Amino acid sequence: MSRFFNNLKLVNKVLLMVGLLGSLSVLITVFALLNMRAIDRSYRDLLAVDVQAAILIDGALLEMNEASRLVFAVLTEQEEAHMRAVGRDIASAQERFRQALDRLAPLLRGQQGALDDVRAREAAVAAHSAQIVEAAARWRGDRALHIIHDQLQPELKALRRGMDGLRDVSVANYQAVAAELAAQTQRTTVQTALAFGLAVTFVILLSAWLSIHEVSRPINALAAAMRRLANKDYESQIEGVHRRDEVGQMAQAMDYFREKMIEADRLQQEVLRDPLTGIANRRAFDQALERAWHALQASQRPLSLLFMDIDHFKPFNDHYGHGEGDRCLTRIASALHGCTHRPGDLVARYGGEEFVAILPDTDAQGALGVAQACHAATAVQAIPHGHSGVSGWVTLSIGVATMVPRQDSTPQALLQAADAMLYAAKAAGRNTTRATTVAPNAME
């Protein structure tokens, strides 16, 4: 019986109720029918506008994330032709993003100003991306990193906030309309039941069952599912996807929306991963360092940083080739990643053959222990290096800096101290570690 009602279109359900009512007055029948048809039209409008807008927004976010990932991938390319090719891929992704915005514009209600701001932000991001590709192609990696840090990343954050704002408005409108549809359905049910009253008790009970179990409850469940999706809770399955009525259409659209949101979050995580080694990249490191710094300020616990460099990596590349160089970087990255075990620790590729490790709540002695583990893990790899000048195998130079984060200092002071220790380790003959504990105002 339940499956039979699930597979009926909403208008057919209403017609079935009208047929059962039979001899009741035409006015009551028309009243109920018009109300339910109005709800049907609202369902279709919801499917055609708000759900479609949310899907388009997530599609645009996918293109934005893809373009962002490619911008960072430019810095890892070794040849200008490859950099130019990646630049064309970036431009294609940005064009698809703009096309998605064009399709989205007619669906947004009262959000033209926000959409114009998103377009302006996207234009700025596209310009910065082109500058980064050009700088990288001219072997100006320092210039490219400066543009990324000072110009591209702030614009990307602002662009994402704008897109998130558009999605939040779409989701909020969806929730409001769905809740109103549920309330309107319930009101129609009550009014119809009162109209039929004592005349047809059985029909009243049947209509109440139909409205509550087959319309109101599924709509409320879908509204609750949308609230969960807004909070990025993807575990719960969407109910009603197998129905063939309007509720089933809404459930299917929402299920597709959930899949797109999962894919968008997955790509967002990929933006924070180095495509060659698979570990965290420079962007993830910058974000993690800021979080660790602010988290440890309140507790006044130490924060340690390891700055690591593969010794004489350019001769390795020149002698063994870039393919072996890439495999060397991947193996060393995996080995270093295995040296940290706590949830807050992070090993990232800083750039080229440089790696960094963030060790929250770790004092100088603990950081030196991790540095020794990194040396040992690198030695276990036993990667031959006949042009090292230090050893017959690939080795590391490591700089270690420890600081208790305070308001009068910055994470950059800790990073500079670790970098200085790395240069000290290289000056001491490489394949060694140098460490320092930094006073809060020592780097000012």
Side-chain angles (χ1 to χ4, degrees):
M1 187 67 174
S2 177
R3 179 177 297 179
F4 171 75
F5 281 116
N6 286 345
N7 292 334
L8 285 176
K9 293 293 185 181
L10 185 59
V11 173
N12 293 332
K13 292 173 183 175
V14 174
L15 292 175
L16 177 61
M17 292 175 59
V18 171
L20 291 174
L21 291 173
S23 61
L24 296 180
S25 71
V26 175
L27 291 177
I28 297 175
T29 302
V30 172
F31 174 81
L33 183 59
L34 289 177
N35 274 276
M36 299 305 285
R37 283 180 174 172
I39 294 172
D40 181 52
R41 287 194 298 271
S42 298
Y43 285 150
R44 297 180 185 278
D45 182 66
L46 193 62
L47 286 171
V49 178
D50 293 308
V51 172
Q52 184 64 24
I55 292 172
L56 285 174
I57 289 171
D58 270 85
L61 283 170
L62 290 178
E63 299 299 342
M64 183 182 74
N65 288 335
E66 175 66 8
S68 302
R69 182 186 68 79
L70 291 172
V71 169
F72 285 93
V74 168
L75 302 181
T76 64
E77 295 293 340
Q78 304 293 327
E79 299 180 6
E80 179 181 355
H82 291 170
M83 296 177 187
R84 300 290 186 185
V86 173
R88 290 190 293 271
D89 291 341
I90 293 171
S92 297
Q94 291 168 342
E95 177 58 27
R96 291 193 296 272
F97 178 87
R98 288 189 287 269
Q99 291 172 357
L101 292 184
D102 291 338
R103 294 193 298 273
L104 180 64
L107 303 179
L108 295 178
R109 301 167 178 172
Q111 295 296 308
Q112 191 58 47
L115 184 60
D116 290 342
D117 181 69
V118 166
R119 291 183 189 276
R121 296 289 185 185
E122 188 280 332
V125 167
H128 296 326
S129 300
Q131 293 173 357
I132 292 166
V133 172
E134 187 62 27
R138 295 177 179 273
W139 304 104
R140 291 290 308 277
D142 55 340
R143 171 61 179 164
L145 287 173
H146 176 75
I147 297 172
I148 289 174
H149 185 270
D150 292 346
Q151 301 177 34
L152 179 65
Q153 287 186 337
E155 288 292 344
L156 275 174
K157 289 179 181 178
L159 178 57
R160 175 164 286 280
R161 284 196 300 271
M163 291 298 293
D164 286 344
L166 292 177
R167 182 170 63 182
D168 289 344
V169 170
S170 180
V171 169
N173 187 67
Y174 183 100
Q175 293 173 339
V177 174
E180 174 59 29
L181 287 174
Q184 186 177 350
T185 301
Q186 199 166 18
R187 288 194 301 269
T188 300
T189 299
V190 172
Q191 292 166 357
T192 302
L194 290 175
F196 291 149
L198 297 174
V200 189
T201 303
F202 173 76
V203 175
I204 292 175
L205 294 175
L206 178 60
S207 64
W209 176 84
L210 176 63
S211 298
I212 294 174
H213 290 272
E214 301 301 320
V215 181
S216 296
R217 184 171 295 175
I219 291 175
N220 286 330
L222 290 178
M226 179 56 78
R227 286 193 291 271
R228 291 195 298 272
L229 290 181
N231 294 324
K232 297 194 174 183
D233 175 8
Y234 307 131
E235 296 301 322
S236 301
Q237 295 297 318
I238 306 299
E239 297 180 6
V241 293
H242 299 299
R243 295 173 60 142
R244 290 188 291 181
D245 61 355
E246 289 80 0
V247 173
Q249 293 175 7
M250 291 176 63
Q252 292 160 17
M254 192 181 301
D255 193 52
Y256 179 75
F257 180 37
R258 180 175 71 96
E259 292 176 0
K260 288 297 183 181
M261 290 183 68
I262 293 173
E263 180 68 11
D265 286 352
R266 184 187 67 79
L267 287 179
Q268 175 63 19
Q269 290 300 315
E270 288 185 1
V271 169
L272 301 177
R273 292 287 168 188
D274 177 58
L276 174 64
T277 63
I279 65 173
N281 60 16
R282 172 71 176 276
R283 184 179 186 182
F285 163 75
D286 290 339
Q287 295 177 3
L289 181 59
E290 288 287 340
R291 287 196 301 269
W293 181 271
H294 293 299
L296 292 172
Q297 272 187 345
S299 62
Q300 288 298 285
R301 300 291 297 167
L303 173 63
S304 292
L305 190 66
L306 273 60
F307 214 138
M308 299 169 280
D309 186 83
I310 298 178
D311 294 325
H312 298 296
F313 185 71
K314 186 178 185 303
F316 184 97
N317 251 350
D318 293 342
H319 180 71
Y320 296 103
H322 290 293
E324 285 299 320
D326 288 347
R327 281 187 282 275
C328 173
L329 289 171
T330 301
R331 291 176 62 183
I332 295 299
S334 178
L336 298 179
H337 183 71
C339 294
T340 57
H341 307 287
R342 300 182 307 170
D345 297 342
L346 177 75
V347 174
R349 184 183 179 192
Y350 194 77
E353 68 273 18
E354 294 180 328
F355 298 88
V356 286
I358 302 173
L359 306 175
D361 199 9
T362 302
D363 58 16
Q365 183 176 0
L368 283 174
V370 176
Q372 292 171 0
C374 291
H375 281 300
T378 301
V380 168
Q381 295 298 312
I383 303 173
H385 191 349
H387 292 71
S388 170
V390 176
S391 168
W393 313 96
V394 168
T395 59
L396 293 178
S397 294
I398 303 178
V400 181
T402 302
M403 176 187 287
V404 175
R406 298 182 186 276
Q407 292 288 346
D408 56 355
S409 189
T410 64
Q412 285 68 38
L414 180 62
L415 184 61
Q416 291 171 7
D419 190 32
M421 289 299 98
L422 174 60
Y423 277 98
K426 291 181 179 181
R430 302 178 187 264
N431 191 23
T432 187
T433 297
R434 289 294 182 268
T436 183
T437 298
V438 186
N441 57 358
M443 299 299 292
E444 293 182 356

